[in-house]
Amino acid sequence: MKVTVSRKAHFNAAHRLYRKDWSMEKNDEVFGKCNNPNYHGHNYELIASVTGEIDQETGFVIDVKVLKDIIKTEVEDAFDHKNLNLDVTEFKDLNPTAENIAVVVYNKIKAKLKPSLDLEVTLYETPRNFVLYSGK
Ligand code: NI
């Protein structure tokens, strides 16, 4: 019997989507307003969902306090009020699209979980645009 435990979190961060090896015209064509050289911000909403067996002693799949602390350290402290392109090493050579942010967040949280637990990350870049990554 597997149960999923979810925790929501929030961070705001700035980014710019572009490729250094493309011309400004091509970047504009592909990334539109997100190629603004002066960056722009988003209010990111994160849902981290952890699935596993219920521990018979505690009744928990994961202590939600533990999940909360992992998200705080790995995501909020690392990304909140940061410029993703300039301040976050993972995006030094990786375009900080919602897709890539979700993968980075997944990898950071997954590394802190017991290997038996599955993780799914949902990342909202805007209230209407969101991506999902579950390690596949
Ligand atoms: Ni953007």
Side-chain angles (χ1 to χ4, degrees):
M1 184 173 63
K2 293 207 168 185
V3 177
T4 301
V5 174
S6 295
R7 168 93 189 163
K8 282 187 181 178
H10 171 84
F11 59 95
N12 42 50
H15 74 169
R16 176 189 179 191
L17 302 183
Y18 73 110
R19 291 189 60 98
K20 291 170 199 161
D21 57 333
W22 287 358
S23 68
M24 191 66 184
E25 290 72 27
K26 178 147 189 204
N27 274 300
D28 269 340
E29 192 185 306
V30 173
F31 298 117
K33 283 195 284 192
C34 279
N35 177 39
N36 176 2
N38 293 327
Y39 305 94
H40 63 278
H42 290 284
N43 289 311
Y44 292 96
E45 296 287 345
L46 171 71
I47 303 170
S49 296
V50 175
T51 300
E53 299 285 344
I54 298 176
D55 182 289
Q56 290 309 303
E57 280 186 332
T58 62
F60 293 153
V61 170
I62 183 172
D63 182 342
V64 84
K65 169 82 165 58
V66 170
L67 181 58
K68 175 185 176 220
D69 289 345
I70 293 170
I71 293 170
K72 165 125 187 8
T73 308
E74 297 301 318
V75 183
E76 293 169 348
D77 291 353
F79 296 173
D80 192 36
H81 286 72
K82 299 284 171 68
N83 179 313
L84 297 176
N85 302 76
L86 301 180
D87 300 331
V88 180
T89 50
E90 283 88 348
F91 301 109
K92 196 167 174 289
D93 296 305
L94 181 67
N95 224 358
T97 59
E99 291 89 330
N100 282 332
I101 298 168
V103 171
V104 167
V105 165
Y106 173 95
N107 288 335
K108 294 188 81 179
I109 297 175
K110 188 76 172 72
K112 301 288 176 183
L113 298 176
K114 283 190 209 144
S116 60
L117 296 173
D118 290 323
L119 175 65
E120 185 173 88
V121 161
T122 307
L123 182 75
Y124 284 77
E125 192 171 71
T126 73
R128 290 171 192 271
N129 298 342
F130 58 98
V131 302
L132 187 84
Y133 183 58
S134 55
K136 295 188 181 93

